[in-house]
Amino acid sequence: MSGPRILVINPNSNPAVTQGLEDALKPLGFEGGPELICQSLAEGPFGIESQADVDSVAMPLRRLVESDNSSAAFVIACYSDPGLQVCREGTDRPVFGIAECGVLTALARAETFGVIAIAQRSIPRHMRYLRQMGLTERLAGERPLNMSVAETASGEGTLAKMIDIGRALRDEDGARAIVMGCAGMARHRRPLEDALRIPVIDPTQAAVTMALGTVQFSRH
């Protein structure tokens, strides 16, 4: 009899981002534990980089969640948490958004946190979300890479730029933990943490860790 599975949905259609998620989640797999499945949203844009992109994937995500009768939990692997609430309405199984989980994990590690965004225009969208969560007082700052999702996933020079921005968040803004504000940044977490010497949170790892705990404790 097969065990439960957790479906990690990349709401964009970029396979490099989905592969990066698979690589970043390998340490969370363990014998007898839930199977971790990463899947791209075929209807999604190549990168989710605007409010229009966020809105466009909400109902396709809900249809995917509603039609899935095999998964014990779902993770929406985009830092804007697109469709999170409508997906939660569509299932009685837990649905986790990586932005929500990433920020909550950062708060468990440090008094203040900073966010590395992919672009300047992402920041107002993130700030609206943090205000809804009531957590803006714990935010030290958010700074942009000004790169595309595709560039953060596979472009040259991304890590060096992330290190520069992370140092500014740490030294100038006072962040004591860093949240990577895009699922496409997943492969850079460890070297970024090594360079900054403060906690660096990959929000997809944070969300899947919460999903794993939820699924495991529901079985025992």
Side-chain angles (χ1 to χ4, degrees):
M1 182 177 178
S2 60
R5 78 172 196 173
I6 295 170
L7 181 63
V8 181
I9 309 167
N10 169 23
N12 72 48
S13 54
N14 186 340
V17 173
T18 306
Q19 183 60 55
L21 296 175
E22 291 182 357
D23 294 341
L25 296 176
K26 284 179 181 176
L28 294 176
F30 56 94
E31 185 176 357
E35 182 182 11
L36 304 179
I37 302 295
C38 296
Q39 178 178 329
S40 300
L41 183 69
E43 303 98 313
F46 199 65
I48 295 180
E49 299 172 0
S50 68
Q51 188 64 52
D53 292 333
V54 172
D55 294 344
S56 73
V57 299
M59 292 313 297
L61 283 167
R62 174 164 175 156
R63 288 192 291 270
L64 176 58
V65 167
E66 285 182 318
S67 65
D68 184 317
N69 297 314
S70 302
S71 299
F74 304 91
V75 172
I76 299 175
C78 170
Y79 197 73
S80 293
D81 285 354
L84 179 59
Q85 301 307 327
V86 295
C87 287
R88 285 173 171 169
E89 286 180 350
T91 181
D92 59 359
R93 289 161 288 171
V95 183
F96 297 87
I98 68 169
E100 186 175 64
C101 295
V103 169
L104 293 175
T105 300
L107 295 177
R109 300 289 305 278
E111 180 65 24
T112 58
F113 68 96
V115 178
I116 300 177
I118 58 169
Q120 182 65 42
R121 67 176 180 171
S122 301
I123 294 177
R125 187 167 68 251
H126 298 166
M127 291 300 297
R128 287 195 300 271
Y129 198 19
L130 285 175
R131 284 195 295 272
Q132 290 173 12
M133 295 173 70
L135 296 175
T136 52
E137 290 187 1
R138 301 282 293 274
L139 176 70
E142 180 164 358
R143 295 183 180 231
L145 282 175
N146 288 323
M147 303 174 75
S148 69
V149 173
E151 286 171 331
T152 64
S154 55
E156 295 297 323
T158 303
L159 176 60
K161 194 167 185 180
M162 290 180 70
I163 290 172
D164 288 343
I165 292 173
R167 284 173 176 157
L169 286 166
R170 181 193 65 191
D171 299 339
E172 299 175 29
D173 299 338
R176 295 295 172 260
I178 300 295
V179 180
M180 300 190 303
C182 177
M185 299 177 187
R187 67 190 181 103
H188 303 298
R189 192 207 69 80
R190 176 59 66 84
L192 182 60
E193 186 170 84
D194 289 344
L196 297 180
R197 299 188 178 277
I198 60 175
V200 173
I201 310 301
D202 170 34
T204 305
Q205 291 176 336
V208 173
T209 298
M210 291 188 188
L212 281 167
T214 300
V215 171
Q216 282 294 95
F217 283 120
S218 71
R219 301 168 64 200
H220 300 285

